[in-house]
Amino acid sequence: MKKAVAFLVVTWLIFAACAAQAATPSRWAHAYRYGDRTQPRIAITIDDWMYPDQWLPEFMAVAEEYGVKLTLYPSGYNLHAEDRTLWQAALDAGHVIGSHFYQHKRLTEMSAAGVARELEKFQIALDETLGYHYEFLSVRPPYGAGLASGGNGKVGRWIHGAGFDHIVLWDVDETSNLKTALRQIKNGSIVLMHANHRDLLFFRSLMEALQERGYEYVTINELLNITSRIFYVED
Ligand SMILES: [Zn+2]
């Protein structure tokens, strides 16, 4: 009996050790431009949000009409407690929020500490706006600056150091010419728009035109299977 128990304990210890090694934090952040090209799913992402009271209900109305779950990337300085009901309504509708950092400055002109501070200030502004802690999972650096070579350059390392590995860029940012956008959008696309009048009108025409393709419009977290801030890799 004692032997059997000892065997079980040893087996469990080996299993636990293996399980602990099965996934370790990645050394680098990942800069995504698109998701799985084999699945008919795309993500619509909308940045900046200078006037959420003006544009959020409008974008949400189009999203609801076409069954779109949006990913919203506001800059921290645009987040205010007086807009709480607007942001909460967006979350209640299944949209998600990510960070477009705080001041909307180029991260290339900052330092590791500056980037960490930007994300910290964003989190504080977001939590004060919502009235509780919201665990955003992905970040979108202003202008996509400093990420041309992916997540393991200087900016990617700073973001990783601040505790975030999912850097979301885009493969489509055309919001003037519908034909061009339709040509560029494919399975897995990440579409970048901004919260303004022109892009709102474009969003509506785009959704109308895309109807025949039968895409599913999912959040970034769903498109890229993001479930935590840090990326874990299998050993
Ligand atoms: Zn921006």
Side-chain angles (χ1 to χ4, degrees):
M1 181 63 189
K2 263 186 185 169
K3 257 188 183 171
V5 170
F7 173 76
L8 280 175
V9 168
V10 169
T11 310
W12 183 84
L13 283 173
I14 291 168
F15 171 78
C18 291
Q21 275 179 3
T24 52
S26 163
R27 287 183 63 204
W28 311 115
H30 288 235
Y32 306 86
R33 293 186 187 277
Y34 51 84
D36 188 344
R37 290 295 197 202
T38 70
Q39 298 298 316
R41 305 198 305 169
I42 70 172
I44 306 287
T45 65
I46 308 175
D47 286 11
D48 296 352
W49 296 101
M50 182 89 79
Y51 305 107
D53 52 333
Q54 217 169 333
W55 304 122
L56 197 45
E58 303 266 6
F59 272 95
M60 280 173 60
V62 178
E64 192 182 350
E65 197 179 329
Y66 292 95
V68 183
K69 297 301 178 205
L70 300 166
T71 304
L72 312 170
Y73 285 108
S75 287
Y77 78 95
N78 289 326
L79 293 169
H80 304 288
E82 60 258 36
D83 297 321
R84 178 173 297 173
T85 49
L86 286 171
W87 292 110
Q88 189 55 54
L91 295 176
D92 291 344
H95 308 305
V96 301
I97 298 175
S99 176
H100 199 34
F101 293 77
Y102 189 82
Q103 297 184 78
H104 207 276
K105 285 191 174 163
R106 286 178 188 279
L107 302 183
T108 42
E109 291 159 18
M110 296 188 186
S111 60
V115 164
R117 182 75 191 127
E118 276 276 309
L119 288 166
E120 215 174 281
K121 282 173 74 178
F122 177 89
Q123 180 76 72
I124 291 167
L126 180 59
D127 292 357
E128 281 176 3
T129 296
L130 294 172
Y132 58 89
H133 177 68
Y134 179 91
E135 189 90 349
F136 65 92
L137 300 181
S138 70
V139 303
R140 167 163 284 160
Y143 317 102
L147 293 152
S149 57
N152 57 2
K154 177 177 80 174
V155 169
R157 288 202 308 276
W158 289 347
I159 293 171
H160 174 77
F164 294 87
D165 276 347
H166 302 290
I167 303 171
V168 178
L169 302 175
W170 55 88
D171 64 341
V172 179
D173 63 358
E174 176 63 55
T175 56
S176 305
N177 188 312
L178 186 59
K179 273 191 180 163
T180 306
L182 289 171
R183 208 166 43 237
Q184 291 173 348
I185 293 173
K186 12 173 138 49
N187 285 347
S189 274
I190 299 173
V191 181
L192 164 65
M193 293 188 190
H194 292 86
N196 59 42
H197 190 237
R198 189 190 71 170
D199 285 12
L200 171 67
L201 296 179
F202 193 83
F203 178 38
R204 183 177 285 282
S205 346
L206 182 67
M207 287 303 112
E208 179 64 36
L210 283 176
Q211 264 184 316
E212 59 188 42
R213 295 203 197 168
Y215 287 129
E216 193 187 347
Y217 304 103
V218 298
T219 65
I220 275 296
N221 296 345
E222 291 170 291
L223 186 78
L224 304 173
N225 299 313
I226 297 173
T227 55
S228 61
R229 290 178 163 183
I230 290 290
F231 187 77
Y232 291 92
V233 289
E234 295 300 315
D235 285 338

